[in-house]
Amino acid sequence: MSSQDSIYPSSLQSLPGHTIRRLHQIATGIFHQEVQASGLTPVQYSALQTVHDYPGIDQRTLARMIALDASTTAGVVDRLEARELLTRSASPDDRRVRLLCLTTEGETLLQQTLPAMWRVQELILAPLSVEQQKTFMQMLQLLVTENNDLSRAPMESATLGKIPRNTRN
């Protein structure tokens, strides 16, 4: 074995990127299993929940808050609007800006989906003890926060500022 070979991990499963991708696949699979009756995707759920939390949010701000590019967000909003789960209306201040609000059907579907969404979270974390779950979530949030600026679509917090990087000593 050459010295170059020793810098490479012994298996694909030892790579954090691969393991995170696998966890994402598993989380998405659990989501679809538990939430399939709603017909929502994880991204559509995120959009509905954010519009619920911030009624009248504009489409660009929604994109930043759920960490998607503008064109992907437009497609998500198109599909949700076609299902009559939300409405888009022009801003009175700027006709180019589209403001989003949930319809009654969107609110109802979101509320009906919440118990399944909580089951999804529980199933994802079920192999861990309660203490491990807390530690895992703290580390996961640290990784996301510290690496946010490296994303193609950095997430912004509810205060509409970039998520601050942790300042460790």
Side-chain angles (χ1 to χ4, degrees):
M1 180 160 84
S2 73
S3 61
Q4 241 184 346
D5 291 338
S6 65
I7 66 169
Y8 295 103
S10 59
S11 73
L12 188 59
Q13 288 71 28
S14 66
L15 297 172
H18 173 76
T19 304
I20 292 166
R21 183 185 65 79
R22 283 291 299 133
L23 183 57
H24 176 260
Q25 287 176 319
I26 292 164
T28 300
I30 292 170
F31 179 93
H32 287 295
Q33 170 188 308
E34 295 297 315
V35 186
Q36 67 184 347
S38 72
L40 294 174
T41 67
V43 171
Q44 290 171 344
Y45 176 84
S46 297
L48 283 180
Q49 185 64 59
T50 303
V51 172
H52 167 81
D53 293 344
Y54 300 94
I57 190 173
D58 68 87
Q59 199 166 307
R60 286 183 187 202
T61 302
L62 172 65
R64 291 192 306 267
M65 288 182 71
I66 62 175
L68 288 178
D69 61 82
S71 62
T72 301
T73 302
V76 169
V77 169
D78 287 345
R79 286 185 284 287
L80 293 172
E81 187 178 38
R83 288 184 61 189
E84 299 181 356
L85 299 175
L86 59 74
T87 59
R88 252 188 294 216
S89 59
S91 167
D93 301 326
D94 185 343
R95 307 267 318 145
R96 296 168 295 173
V97 174
R98 297 289 175 231
L99 305 179
L100 307 172
C101 288
L102 293 186
T103 63
T104 302
E105 293 83 2
E107 286 284 353
T108 300
L109 182 62
L110 187 61
Q111 294 308 313
Q112 290 171 344
T113 304
L114 281 176
M117 178 52 59
W118 285 114
R119 274 194 312 279
V120 169
Q121 308 318 302
E122 290 169 3
L123 288 168
I124 291 167
L125 296 176
L128 304 175
S129 71
V130 172
E131 193 57 41
Q132 288 172 323
Q133 289 177 17
K134 290 177 186 174
T135 301
F136 175 75
M137 288 305 301
Q138 289 170 344
M139 290 190 295
L140 195 58
Q141 289 166 349
L142 176 64
L143 288 170
V144 169
T145 300
E146 290 295 311
N147 292 309
N148 187 53
D149 290 341
L150 302 175
S151 171
R152 285 189 225 160
M155 184 175 187
E156 293 189 10
S157 70
T159 58
L160 305 182
K162 285 210 174 155
I163 296 176
R165 290 180 64 94
N166 189 0
T167 52
R168 292 187 299 242
N169 295 355

